[in-house]
Amino acid sequence: ISTAAAAADDDDDHFKQVILDQIQSIPATLHRPYYREFINDRIATASPFGAVTHPCARYARYRRYAFTRRDSGRILDIVGGISGNKKALYMDGHLRTVVDGPVTHHRDSTVEFVDGSYVMRWLDADTNRIGGRIWLDHPTDGTIRVSFNDVYGNPAVEGIDLATGNPLVLQSTVSQPIDSQYFTQDSVKVQEVILTEESNDSLCDSIDEVGNPETSVFLIHNGTYFLSDARFELLDNDASNPSPDGGGQVVRDTANILRPEHAFICSNVPRTFLTQDECILSNK
């Protein structure tokens, strides 16, 4: 018994020493810088916690499907009178796509969504693709899945040239497909693209304060429309690379008196034992 106990003590001491060696030899790191480096959350508007990617910036993303699970609970506007049976679809007033009407219950075409405003519901991961589930609140038939001219589910982004209001469409860009492995079973294989370099389209100069509120920008990739798919963009402000102005410029860029929830807040942090050797006093 004593021999077994001694062996256990040796193992315990060895384990303690391994941990101690790591503490003494490996520099302390934080979870936050790692999180900021890899976060890629889809978000349409700026917030107190971060801005959104600019649609002309390198690595800006675009998608082929009109809606995402992030649209759950938002207002869909169906607007006709464009051309024939065409319907423009707007999310909270921002153009998403133009489809063939009518918009109906996916199993009963007599249950129709006439031109008007409707709440989207119950969107999930399956929504994020062409043909994904779309649910709308119908005034008399409850929350139901929908089809567009008998085409089921999430519509593709198309017909933007038919919409009113001069939508922003980028053409002078270099883009390539991404995440194709998620759509191998779909009829449309290319549903997401990324800009491989900053766009030099002349429209880019007119796009400022993106995400304040939502900014609908379209891209033509191989003759097909794609919709800007803004992502959460955090300010790089870690110990090894502190932000010179503590986020002051982003605060000014996203300032919004009417919609303060879209305005970024200063990202300065207090000095701690982990940052005291690298932190700087902002003078901007």
Side-chain angles (χ1 to χ4, degrees):
I1 296 177
S2 60
T3 302
D9 288 341
D10 288 342
D11 289 341
D12 189 46
D13 290 340
H14 176 71
F15 178 75
K16 291 178 181 178
Q17 189 61 47
V18 169
I19 300 300
L20 183 61
D21 289 344
Q22 293 184 56
I23 293 174
Q24 293 176 339
S25 62
I26 301 177
T29 59
L30 298 173
H31 286 151
R32 288 182 179 180
Y34 186 87
Y35 174 79
R36 286 196 295 267
E37 182 178 358
F38 291 101
I39 187 174
N40 191 33
D41 199 17
R42 176 180 279 122
I43 186 170
T45 61
S47 74
F49 311 106
V52 300
T53 51
H54 194 284
C56 294
R58 186 184 186 191
Y59 303 135
R61 299 170 68 120
Y62 287 76
R63 67 173 188 267
R64 186 84 172 88
Y65 42 94
F67 306 105
T68 76
R69 64 184 303 179
R70 284 285 190 177
D71 293 319
S72 187
R74 302 179 68 186
I75 303 298
L76 174 69
D77 297 312
I78 302 174
V79 180
I82 299 175
S83 174
N85 66 339
K86 298 290 185 180
K87 305 278 187 181
L89 304 183
Y90 295 82
M91 182 56 65
D92 288 338
H94 302 283
L95 178 65
R96 291 293 182 87
T97 187
V98 175
V99 300
D100 290 323
V103 183
T104 63
H105 189 297
H106 77 295
R107 289 182 176 173
D108 184 356
S109 60
T110 64
V111 179
E112 183 176 353
F113 291 86
V114 298
D115 292 359
S117 300
Y118 305 90
V119 179
M120 270 195 172
R121 300 286 189 191
W122 302 344
L123 306 187
D124 55 24
D126 177 74
T127 301
N128 299 340
R129 61 186 347 106
I130 294 173
R133 290 186 291 265
I134 296 291
W135 301 75
L136 291 178
D137 280 354
H138 191 276
T140 60
D141 286 70
T143 303
I144 56 179
R145 282 183 280 175
V146 299
S147 294
F148 302 89
N149 194 29
D150 292 331
V151 178
Y152 174 75
N154 199 348
V157 177
E158 54 192 2
I160 304 305
D161 54 310
L162 300 176
T164 60
N166 299 316
L168 297 172
V169 181
L170 304 181
Q171 302 190 48
S172 301
T173 57
V174 179
S175 54
Q176 68 179 33
I178 56 171
D179 292 344
S180 299
Q181 68 270 26
Y182 295 112
F183 307 108
T184 55
Q185 303 301 315
D186 295 45
S187 59
V188 179
K189 306 301 182 185
V190 178
Q191 298 199 30
E192 296 182 5
V193 299
I194 192 170
L195 301 191
T196 55
E197 60 183 54
E198 183 177 352
S199 173
N200 60 3
D201 194 294
S202 59
L203 284 176
C204 293
D205 294 335
S206 66
I207 305 172
D208 54 10
E209 295 190 16
V210 293
N212 191 9
E214 180 177 341
T215 307
S216 289
V217 179
F218 299 90
L219 165 74
I220 295 181
H221 172 84
N222 288 346
T224 303
Y225 285 108
F226 285 74
L227 172 64
S228 56
D229 198 16
R231 302 301 171 112
F232 199 41
E233 187 172 52
L234 292 175
L235 184 68
D236 191 3
N237 188 33
D238 56 37
S240 61
N241 187 27
S243 172
D245 69 349
Q249 185 60 52
V250 182
V251 170
R252 291 187 288 273
D253 289 344
T254 61
N256 192 325
I257 297 175
L258 298 179
R259 299 291 300 273
E261 68 272 18
H262 292 165
F264 183 62
I265 59 175
C266 185
S267 60
N268 284 337
V269 296
R271 179 179 298 197
T272 70
F273 71 96
L274 290 172
T275 62
Q276 63 184 359
D277 294 331
E278 291 87 6
C279 68
I280 60 175
L281 180 64
S282 173
N283 58 4
K284 297 183 181 182

